[in-house]
């Protein structure tokens, strides 16, 4: 368990010093195996002081196991965790400067709101007056000051979530872990709570690590995201990095929707690539990717980066393809078009509904041209 | 359809109601009525409730059976002794049963039914037989004394049988499952995340148990304790076979009054007072069960 930190990965050339703002939480080669199954596989990661770091992944990706190792509920099979320069390996959960907001909230059902929030402070042996004051302050911050005497079963889901947050925050942890913090709330409340969570985080300056399977939640909450798949972190970056420049096919496909097709590189130059693709015709990109002519790559284009028109674009030889509209889904703010191209594949295109009641909207069955800018396609080699 | 459903429901609820009425309420009323009679040498061996001797009916209510209970210290001391035996036995059952129930609730799910079955297994043998077996274990030349003597731990046999100790052993042994089962049912429902939350907030395991597990298991503790305490107060077989001869429990006193003294009024009064004594814990138990049901909804 006390193995030396692994060599720095290529994506992270400047290794932050232990306890620095950039390396506030440092994971090195962190691994957890349950019998034959490796839940978390040699994860090395730096989390910055004061940021909201979102671990995003599907079920079984290892994100919850990673979080439970940070809390101390699971003992790593290998690797180490440092928080603010201190190795956590030998420190039990009840002595870690870490608090967790559980997915089920795990409020103590036999205690009032006030007693729930005071529980953590009571373990520190603070005076009654101090406890009362701090509990009052944090309950005011989460706007639950009027409900101190209620029991958890007398609260709504949103109120319970606030109490759970207050209880985890009242000890001013160095690190707050949030396990699917918004999963139990309905859609409207979720959106509202998201912004409030960011607000509170900025006010208190506590470092948050959020685990979620909901990419929308991760995008709005996170200053940075770590996308997990099969126990590994496949990409770390800002929400726009992850969305606009996915590192591989898994990330491109997992985050948002995407039209992604294999193609063969015809020309490779400093100005970009020309790729021949059965579904999209000739795709020209204006960004250079080192892959070698003749190699197979994947071209990914987000649905909102494709325009749809009745007339052919001026340079119809490349970055344009003709197809027939098969389905139109009107979503209010935007419409989704499923367009069948010559190869028979359906492409997904979204258009914002900028005007009210267009005169001659594109209808199902129409033949249309799809085109995109050279900056839109992402070329993926893995 | 709806009508027949309602009728069906009435039948289903009616059968146990009728059962309780015939086999519990009516006998109770009869016992209650006998407790206000006086003993006489006749069949039945007590005075009638309504006397027709002077041509007009006159109600004959006698308090003599009740007042008699307080003139002889035998009854009061038997009551107090029964309460003490029941209380100590209940406490022992709780101290032994809680860790067992906790262990079963935290065992691997596949093991739980097996462990529970082991708890219930003694019921497959006759209760009387099992209590008799304790005589063989506890008597002067019984198994326990012989083993201790042969190892040289003691040099003359310990008087184990016919002591308070033997009664406690008998009652704790016989009633332990009634403590474990409700405790298990309660502990098994606890959310393990709550203990993690307590640890996360800085509580060491023992503190987390005292602050989180123990208060939440209180309904199970109360249910188990009452299920042991109530029958233990009136226990007849165990103290008769294993217990002291100089200090009787109230169940034995009651049976002696009926069958040895043939003083039905005093026996009935003893029964009524035992019932009154147990009414408080029984009501407590029912109120708690109702609250459990409401909370579960």
């Amino acid at each position: 368990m006390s193995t030396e930190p692994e060599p720095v990965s290529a994506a992270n050339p400047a290794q932050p010093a232990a306890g620095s703002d950039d390396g506030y939480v440092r994971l090195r080669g962190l691994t957890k195996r349950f019998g034959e199954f490796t839940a978390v596989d040699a994860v090395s990661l730096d989390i910055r002081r004061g940021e909201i770091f979102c671990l995003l992944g599907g079920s079984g990706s290892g994100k919850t196991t990673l979080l439970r190792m940070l809390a101390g509920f699971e003992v790593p099979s290998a690797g180490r965790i440092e928080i603010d320069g201190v190795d956590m390996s030998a420190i039990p959960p009840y002595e870690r400067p870490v608090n967790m907001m559980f997915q089920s909230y795990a409020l103590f059902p036999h205690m009032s709101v006030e007693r729930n929030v005071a529980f953590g402070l009571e373990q520190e042996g603070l005076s009654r007056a101090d406890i009362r004051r701090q509990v009052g302050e944090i309950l005011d911050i989460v706007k639950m000051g009027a409900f101190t005497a209620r029991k958890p079963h007398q609260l709504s889901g949103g109120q319970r979530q606030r109490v759970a947050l207050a209880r985890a925050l009242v000890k001013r942890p160095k690190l707050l872990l949030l396990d699917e913090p918004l999963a139990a709330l309905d859609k409207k409340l979720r959106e509202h709570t998201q912004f409030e969570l960011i607000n509170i985080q900025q006010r208190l300056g506590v470092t948050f690590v959020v685990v979620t399977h909901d990419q929308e939640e991760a995008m709005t909450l996170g200053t940075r995201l770590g996308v997990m798949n099969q126990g590994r972190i496949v990409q770390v970056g800002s929400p726009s990095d992850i969305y606009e420049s996915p590192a591989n096919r898994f990330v491109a496909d997992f985050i948002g929707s995407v039209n992604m097709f294999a193609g063969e590189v015809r020309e490779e130059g400093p100005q970009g690539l020309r790729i021949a693709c059965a579904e999209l015709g000739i795709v020209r990109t204006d960004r250079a990717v080192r892959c070698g002519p003749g190699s197979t790559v994947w071209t990914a284009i987000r649905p909102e980066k494709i325009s749809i028109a009745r007339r052919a674009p001026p340079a119809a030889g490349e970055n344009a393809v003709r197809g027939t509209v098969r389905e139109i889904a009107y979503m209010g703010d935007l419409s989704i078009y499923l367009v069948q191209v010559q190869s028979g594949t359906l492409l997904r295109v979204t258009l914002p509904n900028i005007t009210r009641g267009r005169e001659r909207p594109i209808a199902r069955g129409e033949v249309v041209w799809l085109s995109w800018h050279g900056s839109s396609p992402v070329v993926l080699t893995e | 359809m709806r009508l027949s459903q309602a009728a069906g429901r009435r039948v289903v609820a009616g059968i146990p109601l009728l059962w309780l009425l015939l086999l519990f309420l009516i006998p109770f009323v009869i016992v209650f009525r006998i407790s206000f009679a006086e003993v006489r040498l006749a069949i039945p061996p007590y005075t009638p409730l309504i006397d027709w001797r002077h041509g007009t009916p006159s109600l004959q209510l006698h308090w003599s059976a009740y007042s008699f209970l307080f003139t002889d210290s035998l009854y009061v001391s038997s009551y107090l002794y029964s309460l003490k035996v029941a209380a100590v036995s209940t406490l022992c059952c709780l101290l032994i049963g809680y860790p067992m129930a906790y262990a079963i609730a935290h065992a691997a799910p596949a093991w739980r039914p097996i462990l529970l079955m082991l708890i219930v297994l003694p019921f497959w043998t006759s209760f009387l037989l099992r209590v008799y077996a304790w005589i063989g274990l506890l008597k002067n030349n019984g198994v326990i004394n012989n083993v201790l003597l042969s190892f040289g731990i003691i040099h003359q046999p310990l008087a184990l049988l016919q002591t308070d100790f033997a009664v406690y052993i008998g009652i704790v042994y016989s009633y332990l499952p009634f403590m474990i089962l409700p405790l298990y049912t309660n502990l098994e429902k606890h959310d393990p995340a709550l203990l993690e939350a307590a640890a996360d907030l800085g509580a060491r395991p023992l503190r987390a148990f005292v602050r989180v597990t123990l208060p939440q298991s209180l309904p199970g503790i109360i249910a188990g304790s009452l299920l042991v305490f109530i029958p233990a107060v009136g226990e007849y077989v165990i103290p008769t076979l294993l217990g002291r001869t100089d200090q009787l429990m109230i169940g034995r006193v009651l049976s002696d009054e009926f069958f040895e003294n043939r003083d039905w009024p005093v026996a009935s009064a003893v029964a009524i007072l035992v019932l009154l004594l147990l009414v408080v814990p029984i009501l407590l138990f029912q109120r708690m069960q109702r609250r459990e049901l409401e909370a579960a909804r």
Side-chain angles (χ1 to χ4, degrees):
Chain A
M1 209 147 44
S2 56
T3 48
E4 284 304 300
E6 289 206 336
V8 192
S9 67
N12 191 11
Q15 178 164 12
S20 72
D21 275 7
D22 272 1
Y24 191 59
V25 177
R26 302 205 311 169
L27 312 183
R28 289 293 176 271
L30 197 63
T31 302
K32 178 68 186 180
R33 283 182 286 268
F34 296 104
E36 293 287 287
F37 175 67
T38 305
V40 174
D41 191 0
V43 166
S44 293
L45 178 69
D46 290 298
I47 294 167
R48 299 175 186 151
R49 188 195 296 269
E51 77 171 333
I52 302 184
F53 190 90
C54 281
L55 283 167
L56 178 62
S59 59
S61 62
K63 57 189 194 306
T64 301
T65 307
L66 187 54
L67 196 76
R68 290 175 60 79
M69 282 196 279
L70 282 169
F73 300 140
E74 303 286 355
V75 177
S77 308
R80 61 196 256 137
I81 299 169
E82 275 173 28
I83 296 173
D84 203 8
V86 180
D87 182 8
M88 289 289 131
S89 306
I91 301 182
Y94 48 85
E95 279 170 7
R96 291 195 183 195
V98 173
N99 285 126
M100 177 145 161
M101 197 181 116
F102 290 79
Q103 183 175 8
S104 64
Y105 306 145
L107 295 175
F108 304 124
H110 57 294
M111 294 185 200
S112 67
V113 166
E114 191 174 19
R115 304 282 300 157
N116 259 287
V117 178
F119 187 91
L121 297 174
E122 284 165 4
Q123 311 309 317
E124 291 175 359
L126 294 178
S127 75
R128 266 166 189 245
D130 271 351
I131 292 176
R132 272 193 82 83
R133 185 179 50 76
Q134 292 190 37
V135 168
E137 274 175 15
I138 199 76
L139 283 176
D140 283 341
I141 288 176
V142 300
K143 301 191 183 110
M144 284 298 290
F147 300 95
T148 52
R150 294 258 185 109
K151 290 274 181 72
H153 72 266
Q154 296 168 312
L155 301 174
S156 71
Q159 290 170 330
R160 265 180 245 175
Q161 193 253 11
R162 286 155 187 275
V163 176
L165 182 65
R167 188 179 71 173
L169 276 172
V170 74
K171 292 188 80 170
R172 300 296 161 112
K174 288 186 171 174
L175 187 61
L176 185 75
L177 310 173
L178 300 99
D179 189 2
E180 307 270 359
L182 308 173
L185 306 180
D186 59 60
K187 194 170 158 46
K188 262 254 154 67
L189 192 59
R190 200 179 323 171
E191 220 159 84
H192 176 75
T193 311
Q194 265 170 9
F195 293 113
E196 229 171 42
L197 213 53
I198 296 172
N199 226 320
I200 290 170
Q201 190 268 343
Q202 283 173 348
R203 218 169 127 182
L204 300 178
V206 174
T207 308
F208 277 27
V209 174
V210 181
V211 150
T212 179
H213 69 279
D214 182 335
Q215 41 159 310
E216 210 174 297
E217 190 175 313
M219 302 279 250
T220 42
L221 275 179
T223 40
R224 288 195 307 152
L225 315 185
V227 182
M228 285 194 78
N229 184 33
Q230 293 178 340
R232 293 174 168 274
I233 292 200
V234 285
Q235 189 174 6
V236 175
S238 70
S240 65
D241 283 346
I242 303 264
Y243 187 78
E244 306 291 3
S245 315
N248 54 37
R249 281 189 291 155
F250 173 80
V251 177
D253 197 42
F254 186 69
I255 312 284
S257 36
V258 71
N259 300 296
M260 184 157 48
F261 304 105
E264 190 193 324
V265 177
R266 286 287 164 80
E267 279 175 38
E268 183 186 348
Q271 268 77 50
L273 303 173
R274 273 169 65 89
I275 302 161
C277 176
E279 290 83 0
L280 303 172
I282 298 294
V283 176
R284 182 181 51 74
T285 73
D286 57 11
R287 248 172 257 181
V289 176
R290 292 175 57 86
C291 46
S295 61
T296 302
V297 295
W298 286 268
T299 311
I301 311 178
R302 298 280 184 200
E304 75 279 4
K305 293 188 172 59
I306 300 177
S307 41
I308 186 165
R310 288 198 176 86
R311 259 185 281 169
E318 50 186 28
N319 283 359
V321 67
R322 214 160 70 115
T324 313
V325 177
R326 289 293 175 219
E327 294 288 347
I328 303 172
Y330 177 73
M331 311 288 284
D333 52 349
L334 50 81
S335 293
I336 301 171
Y337 300 81
L338 294 183
V339 180
Q340 191 170 33
V341 294
Q342 265 170 340
S343 66
T345 320
L346 286 173
L347 293 195
R348 192 185 168 93
V349 181
T350 54
L351 278 186
N353 293 317
I354 305 169
T355 54
R356 292 179 64 202
R358 238 190 297 174
E359 251 179 48
R360 218 162 63 81
I362 289 170
R364 195 188 296 197
E366 268 192 77
V367 174
V368 291
W369 279 91
L370 304 179
S371 60
W372 52 89
H373 190 259
S375 66
S376 298
V378 178
V379 178
L380 301 167
T381 53
E382 53 173 335
Chain B
M1 182 66 204
R2 188 159 287 231
L3 201 79
S4 72
Q5 249 182 6
R9 219 173 297 156
R10 225 167 288 153
V11 168
V12 166
I15 290 170
L17 210 66
L18 194 72
W19 180 276
L20 287 175
L21 187 80
L22 284 178
L23 298 176
F24 184 76
L25 192 64
I26 292 176
F28 172 77
V29 169
I30 293 171
V31 168
F32 190 68
R33 168 237 181 288
I34 297 174
S35 76
F36 287 101
E38 270 184 333
V39 70
R40 69 171 185 184
L41 283 168
I43 294 177
Y46 52 87
T47 54
L49 186 63
I50 294 160
D51 193 358
W52 290 91
R53 256 181 301 179
H54 307 290
T56 51
S58 68
L59 198 63
Q60 298 286 315
L61 283 183
H62 303 281
W63 291 92
S64 51
Y66 288 94
S67 57
F68 180 68
L69 293 185
F70 294 96
T71 55
D72 192 334
S73 68
L74 165 79
Y75 301 102
V76 174
S77 88
S78 295
Y79 270 121
L80 293 178
Y81 179 65
S82 300
L83 288 179
K84 186 190 117 189
V85 167
V88 172
S89 307
T90 305
L91 192 69
C92 291
C93 277
L94 183 61
L95 292 179
I96 299 167
Y98 199 105
M100 287 175 81
Y102 190 90
I104 298 173
H106 286 79
W111 271 97
R112 287 180 210 165
I114 299 168
L115 293 171
L116 279 178
M117 212 194 64
L118 289 176
I119 297 291
V120 186
L121 202 64
F123 288 130
W124 289 15
T125 318
S126 149
F127 168 69
L128 213 55
L129 222 61
R130 285 182 286 133
V131 179
Y132 267 117
W134 275 108
I135 298 180
L137 289 168
L138 294 170
K139 65 185 175 186
N140 277 358
N141 58 348
V143 175
I144 294 174
N145 271 318
N146 284 344
V147 167
L148 290 177
L149 282 169
S150 70
F151 279 105
I153 298 168
I154 53 170
H155 299 290
Q156 55 199 94
L158 298 171
L160 297 172
L161 203 59
Q162 298 185 338
T163 60
D164 287 350
F165 174 72
V167 176
Y168 294 144
I169 284 208
I171 293 183
V172 169
Y173 164 76
S174 304
Y175 289 97
L176 196 58
F178 297 107
M179 178 64 83
I180 292 176
L181 294 177
L183 271 175
Y184 166 78
T185 316
N186 172 288
L187 288 168
E188 185 256 338
K189 283 185 295 194
H190 287 203
D191 179 1
L194 293 181
L195 281 182
E196 286 186 348
D200 186 65
L201 293 165
R204 288 163 173 280
L206 185 67
R207 233 183 120 63
F209 172 79
V210 172
R211 292 288 309 272
V212 177
T213 307
L214 200 58
Q216 280 189 273
S217 61
L218 210 56
I221 292 176
I222 295 174
S225 297
L226 290 174
L227 283 179
V228 174
F229 183 81
I230 292 171
V233 167
E235 180 55 50
Y236 168 77
V237 172
I238 295 169
T240 303
L241 293 179
L242 306 178
R244 281 156 61 178
T245 44
D246 59 331
Q247 175 66 72
L248 301 181
M249 279 181 73
I250 200 69
R252 174 68 182 279
V253 169
L254 199 154
S255 107
D256 283 356
E257 291 298 342
F258 259 116
F259 300 111
E260 309 286 324
N261 288 355
R262 285 187 61 81
D263 190 340
W264 288 25
V266 166
S268 302
V270 170
I272 296 294
L273 281 187
V274 170
L275 191 76
L276 283 180
L277 218 63
L278 294 178
V279 153
V280 176
I282 288 171
L283 286 181
L284 203 75
F285 179 60
Q286 282 187 330
R287 216 189 68 172
M288 197 201 65
Q289 270 200 322
R290 208 172 40 234
R291 245 193 300 166
E292 279 264 279
L293 276 178
E294 275 160 19
R297 231 181 286 151

